Amino acid sequence: MIDRSEAVLAIDIGGTKIAFGEVVGDRIDSRRQVPTPRSGGGDALVDAIVTELGGFKCDAIALATTGIVSNGKITALNPITLPIEDNYPLAARLEAATGLVPLVVNDAQAAAWGEYRYGAGRGCRNFMFITVSTGVGGGVVLEGHLQVGANGLAGHIGHTRVSSGRSACGCGRKGCLETIASGTAIALNYSNKVGQKATAPEVFDAATAGDAIAQAVLEDAAAALAEAFANTVATVDLDLVAIGGGVGLAAGFADRVRRHFEAFPVAFRRPIVTAQAGADAGMIGVADLL
């Protein structure tokens, strides 16, 4: 176990960037980031990480990464997000390259723990954090314990099905929450309706300007999220749900989700709050787990 007064080198691996920082408690120092390699598989990812390690002096490494993590190996649930081989032995390869034994945790699970320890989930027993950004990820803390699962799949709410879902998902299923509520889906669904390519921020801008199609796409996303929240409440009886990510924290979006959530019977309703630990909750969380 690492003393919480000591700095831990935390690394956050996403589909577009790898972030590095020295973490003490909920403080991150010497933060920097590099692009995530989009070719070369896991070995290219390890090379990119090792190249940056020379600028840090920490004796402990903790990694939060997109994908399913099981026994130090990672698999991209959606290969579009992270192009890497199935069951890539990330922990073993990094240990061989650095001499340090890293902790590797799914990024949304790590962020859920960061929110539980230092953000919106403080004081809760049963808590869920969901990040809505390029994709939809999540993590669940039950009775004070982060749920990981025997195969690392716990909390992957973005790949649960919702009633309005019809589209194929990169995970291989159809109708996943991620195909409706993610930033990628919001942009695609709007673009298909108007016949012109748009980004998620542009959809939000259009909705603010009164575009009825953009507003409908955001309402569909919010309704799907509310349904997924209610399903999770029915399964594990949450105390609180925190929503984060670039889409989740966009102006007015959480309010849209709350309005749909409040339409459910009272037994399924729980407070929905915005995340508080910030964009680096995953780094803070994985360092704290170590």
Side-chain angles (χ1 to χ4, degrees):
M1 181 178 291
I2 303 299
D3 187 325
R4 286 196 177 94
S5 66
E6 298 176 1
V8 172
L9 174 58
I11 303 171
D12 187 0
I13 302 171
T16 58
K17 64 176 177 59
I18 307 171
F20 301 79
E22 296 177 4
V23 180
V24 177
D26 61 348
R27 189 185 78 243
I28 299 179
D29 298 325
S30 304
R31 190 190 187 285
R32 64 174 182 262
Q33 65 187 49
V34 298
T36 302
R38 301 299 300 173
S39 62
D43 288 347
L45 187 65
V46 170
D47 288 344
I49 292 171
V50 172
T51 298
E52 293 299 313
L53 294 186
F56 297 95
K57 298 179 180 179
C58 296
D59 294 326
I61 301 178
L63 292 94
T65 178
T66 185
I68 301 172
V69 179
S70 181
N71 297 318
K73 299 177 181 180
I74 65 172
T75 297
L77 187 55
N78 186 347
I80 296 172
T81 303
L82 185 67
I84 195 169
E85 307 92 316
D86 287 350
N87 291 311
Y88 181 79
L90 181 61
R93 295 292 170 85
L94 280 171
E95 181 181 358
T98 65
L100 299 174
V101 180
L103 173 67
V104 184
V105 179
N106 169 265
D107 56 354
Q109 293 172 347
W113 186 253
E115 280 292 334
Y116 174 76
R117 288 277 293 125
Y118 297 103
R122 283 176 292 188
C124 292
R125 289 189 310 163
N126 300 323
F127 168 74
M128 180 172 72
F129 165 75
I130 184 168
T131 176
V132 188
S133 53
T134 303
V136 177
V140 177
V141 177
L142 300 179
E143 300 295 337
H145 298 281
L146 177 66
Q147 303 303 298
V148 175
N151 298 292
L153 195 59
H156 277 74
I157 191 172
H159 297 284
T160 57
R161 294 187 64 184
V162 289
S163 58
S164 57
R166 299 290 183 272
S167 301
C169 182
C171 73
R173 302 179 74 202
K174 285 187 176 181
C176 290
L177 174 64
E178 191 165 281
T179 67
I180 300 175
S182 67
T184 302
I186 287 170
L188 180 61
N189 293 339
Y190 179 78
S191 298
N192 288 341
K193 290 178 183 294
V194 301
Q196 182 176 342
K197 189 174 183 179
T199 64
E202 288 170 344
V203 177
F204 275 91
D205 290 343
T208 301
D211 185 324
I213 295 176
Q215 291 174 351
V217 168
L218 295 182
E219 288 299 322
D220 287 346
L225 280 163
E227 180 182 351
F229 291 170
N231 289 342
T232 308
V233 168
T235 304
V236 294
D237 198 7
L238 298 166
D239 300 327
L240 180 76
V241 176
I243 185 170
V247 172
L249 297 178
F253 188 71
D255 288 335
R256 292 180 186 270
V257 177
R258 290 188 191 101
R259 285 198 298 271
H260 287 280
F261 199 58
E262 289 301 311
F264 291 115
V266 66
F268 299 95
R269 298 180 207 161
R270 297 293 185 275
I272 297 176
V273 301
T274 52
Q276 299 174 4
D280 289 325
M283 297 171 72
I284 293 168
V286 77
D288 192 78
L289 285 167
L290 182 64

